[in-house]
Amino acid sequence: MTRRIGILLCDTDNPFWREKRAQYLRLAPERGFAPEFRAPRSVNDPEEQRRVLERMLGEGYEAIVINPLSSTNLAPAVRKSGGTPLFDVGPKCDPDVVAGAPEYHPVPVADFEEQGRIVAEALLSSINEPAGWALALGGFRDARHSEARCRGAFHAFAKVFPQRRILTGYADFDRDEAYVMVRGLLAELPDVRTIFCANDLMALGALRAVEELGGRTPSVGGVDAIPEAVEAVREGRLRCTAGIVQEDVVRLVYETMERWFEDGVDTPRPLLPSILYRRTQ
C-alpha cells in the first residue's frame, strides 16, 4: 500500500530545502510513501505559504508534512485541517496558538537553542578580548526556530560581552537582506567582532559584507550546514556552521508518520544531534 502525502516546504531556492526534498524522494519507496511537494512561489512568504497549505488540505492527501515559516503563519489552516493529519517538523508552530487542533502532530527533531549556543561558542573561540560588539541576526521576528537559535547565541555571547554590547537584528532568512544590514552596520560600528546568523544564507550574505569592507573583520557563523557554507568554512572564510543530517531528519519524520498510521499515536523520539563544522585556525 502506497500512501500519497503532501510535503510543504519553505522555498525551493535554498540548498537546505533542495537537499531535504531529495531525501524525502529517495527514502519514500522503502516506507511506502508517495510524496508531492509544494512551496510558496515567493521565497519566504509566510502568507502565501498559508494559502498553499489551505489548497493542499482540499487535495486528498492522507497526511501533510509542514515546515512553517513562522510560529503563527500556518495556524489558521492547522486549526481547520478537516481531518488531514499535519506533521510539523521542528516543530515550528507556537504550541499555544495550535493548542487543541485535533490533527496537529509536532515532530521534534533538534534543539534549536543548542544550535545557536554551539555556533556562538565557536565564534567566541576566535576572540582574545571582549571588546567591541556582537550581533545575533535572526530570520523572521516570530520564527520559533530562529528565535531559539538567537537565544542560544545571546546566552553564549553574554558570557563574554556586556549585554549592552550584544546587538540583535532580523533579515528574514535572506542572503541579500543580511548583506545590506551587515554592510550598513559595519559602516557605523567598525568594531563588530562577531556575527551569529540563524541560517546559512544570512551568514553568507553577512560574510560578503565583511569581506567587501575588509579591515578588522568579524568572525561569522550560521546554521544549517548547507554545502556552500561548509565549503566556506573549509576555505577559512566562514568561521563555522552547524546542522543535522538531513537523511536522519527525513527518516525520523517518516518513522513518526508510519507509527501514527499503524497505531494512531505520536511516539516521542530522541532529538537528532547537531554537527559543528568549524575553521581549524
Side-chain angles (χ1 to χ4, degrees):
M1 176 182 178
T2 299
R3 297 185 183 276
R4 177 173 170 260
I5 62 170
I7 299 179
L8 178 62
L9 305 176
C10 292
D11 67 67
T12 55
D13 292 336
N14 189 336
F16 175 85
W17 295 109
R18 292 202 298 267
E19 168 65 13
K20 185 161 284 186
R21 182 181 187 277
Q23 293 295 341
Y24 274 117
L25 285 171
R26 187 178 72 82
L27 298 173
E30 67 185 57
R31 301 290 179 175
F33 291 123
E36 298 177 10
F37 300 88
R38 300 291 185 84
R41 293 179 182 176
S42 299
V43 174
N44 288 338
D45 185 332
E47 286 304 303
E48 185 179 350
Q49 191 191 41
R50 174 186 56 78
R51 292 192 292 270
V52 172
L53 177 57
E54 288 173 346
R55 291 194 294 271
M56 292 176 75
L57 288 170
E59 294 176 356
Y61 293 110
E62 293 188 59
I64 299 175
V65 176
I66 61 174
N67 296 275
L69 275 165
S70 80
S71 63
T72 59
N73 73 305
L74 297 184
V78 169
R79 290 194 295 264
K80 56 178 183 181
S81 66
T84 303
L86 303 175
F87 294 85
D88 179 6
V89 182
K92 300 186 184 78
C93 283
D94 184 330
D96 293 330
V97 176
V98 296
E103 300 299 339
Y104 174 76
H105 304 274
V107 185
V109 295
D111 186 331
F112 297 127
E113 189 166 331
E114 171 76 358
Q115 289 179 332
R117 183 189 66 79
I118 64 173
V119 170
E121 288 180 348
L123 290 169
L124 290 170
S125 68
S126 65
I127 296 175
N128 296 322
E129 73 271 349
W133 302 79
L135 170 65
L137 189 60
F140 294 118
R141 289 180 180 272
D142 65 343
R144 194 168 178 228
H145 58 307
S146 169
E147 288 297 289
R149 288 169 178 171
C150 287
R151 185 165 57 249
F154 184 93
H155 290 327
F157 284 160
K159 295 178 181 179
V160 174
F161 289 87
Q163 290 192 14
R164 68 181 183 280
R165 289 273 176 168
I166 304 173
L167 306 171
T168 58
Y170 299 90
D172 295 349
F173 298 114
D174 185 81
R175 184 195 301 241
D176 292 337
E177 286 192 33
Y179 165 75
V180 171
M181 175 175 290
V182 171
R183 187 174 176 88
L185 177 65
L186 294 179
E188 294 183 18
L189 293 173
D191 199 22
V192 174
R193 302 294 307 284
T194 188
I195 300 172
F196 166 82
C197 298
N199 83 343
D200 279 339
L201 289 185
M202 292 190 297
L204 292 166
L207 179 64
R208 176 188 165 200
V210 166
E211 292 178 333
E212 286 183 359
L213 289 174
R216 185 178 183 179
T217 57
S219 58
V220 180
V223 181
D224 281 341
I226 65 174
E228 187 179 353
V230 173
E231 182 62 24
V233 171
R234 290 180 179 144
E235 294 171 348
R237 297 167 53 233
L238 194 68
R239 172 62 61 175
C240 56
T241 182
I244 50 182
V245 177
Q246 295 294 352
E247 178 181 343
D248 293 343
V249 174
V250 172
R251 286 190 185 280
L252 188 153
V253 173
Y254 277 163
E255 288 169 3
T256 300
M257 295 172 68
E258 275 184 327
R259 181 65 187 274
W260 186 86
F261 279 122
E262 292 172 359
D263 302 328
V265 297
D266 293 322
T267 305
R269 296 178 181 272
L271 294 178
L272 299 173
S274 294
I275 301 170
L276 178 68
Y277 302 83
R278 60 185 296 174
R279 224 163 72 192
T280 56
Q281 295 182 351

